[in-house]
Amino acid sequence: DEWLEYERITLRKAAVDSKQGMKVLEQALVAGGGLFLVGEGLSIADISVVCTLYHCTSKSSSAMNFPKVVQTYLDYHIENTPAFAAGLLNLPILFPSQPLDLTAPSLSRAVCRIFQDAVYTAFPLAAAIPTLERKHFASLCTKKAFGDYQCTAAMSLFQKLKLWGALPPDVVSSQSLAQKIIDAIPIDNPVID
């Protein structure tokens, strides 16, 4: 219970605002061997704390400012705890995108939705990026020579997946990531040709 209260009251603020609240976590990890907060195995305390830390890192690059033992703890659980890995891979299934509202058709929303689905198909971990909003998937082209709409998610998605170490081996640039998105667009979509 103490760790859950710590996560709710202190860590959520500390992970975003300051290093002050990290000291308690850092000290507990050092005293306990660095991998688990309670005992020698995964507990609800670890789940709660890791989820909060992960959420903060997915919102910004603040993970670089975590004390080393805290960053090691977070990386260990994200990479080696099957429950966390499965949870990240299953985010698109757990939180599927909303269907298009055919009662209020919008070409812009339809294009965004097709790109969003293609991004999540090609890169399931993209669903774990809370700052990647639907409006960032497509926009009107500023030069008509390039078409009507363009996918605008490739560069930022490449940077974020690279930061997480989650890029597939064949994706070496934002251009190759964009090609994967294009390849994931269903041929039978009614909007994009």
Side-chain angles (χ1 to χ4, degrees):
D1 285 347
E2 290 176 34
W3 281 111
L4 296 178
E5 286 299 308
Y6 164 79
E7 182 274 333
R8 185 177 66 80
I9 295 170
T10 306
L11 185 59
R12 290 182 195 181
K13 293 177 187 170
V16 177
D17 297 334
S18 72
K19 293 182 182 180
Q20 192 65 3
M22 289 287 166
K23 288 184 181 183
V24 172
L25 178 60
E26 185 178 14
Q27 291 169 350
L29 288 170
V30 169
L35 297 181
F36 303 104
L37 290 172
V38 179
E40 297 177 10
L42 188 66
S43 69
I44 190 70
D46 296 306
I47 293 169
S48 178
V49 169
V50 168
C51 286
T52 298
L53 293 172
Y54 181 78
H55 177 71
C56 291
T57 62
S58 65
K59 289 178 82 170
S60 69
S61 60
S62 63
M64 302 303 176
N65 297 325
F66 288 159
K68 184 175 180 173
V69 69
V70 173
Q71 187 63 52
T72 301
Y73 167 77
L74 175 62
D75 292 343
Y76 171 82
H77 285 289
I78 295 300
E79 295 169 12
N80 300 307
T81 304
F84 288 112
L88 291 176
L89 291 176
N90 287 311
L91 275 176
I93 296 165
L94 297 172
F95 297 101
S97 54
Q98 299 296 316
L100 280 174
D101 180 5
L102 297 177
T103 62
S106 162
L107 183 58
S108 178
R109 283 195 303 262
V111 171
C112 283
R113 178 55 184 278
I114 290 168
F115 279 125
Q116 176 184 359
D117 290 347
V119 166
Y120 290 163
T121 298
F123 305 98
L125 284 177
I129 303 173
T131 57
L132 197 61
E133 299 175 22
R134 182 180 56 100
K135 65 182 178 183
H136 296 130
F137 283 99
S139 66
L140 289 169
C141 286
T142 55
K143 295 183 180 180
K144 287 297 177 190
F146 297 126
D148 296 316
Y149 288 88
Q150 62 186 359
C151 178
T152 53
M155 290 183 74
S156 65
L157 182 60
F158 177 79
Q159 292 169 347
K160 290 175 183 183
L161 291 175
K162 184 177 180 180
L163 179 69
W164 291 356
L167 284 171
D170 59 333
V171 175
V172 295
S173 67
S174 57
Q175 291 83 5
S176 57
L177 184 137
Q179 187 59 54
K180 284 237 183 244
I181 294 170
I182 292 167
D183 295 343
I185 296 173
I187 295 170
D188 62 348
N189 82 79
V191 178
I192 299 175
D193 60 2

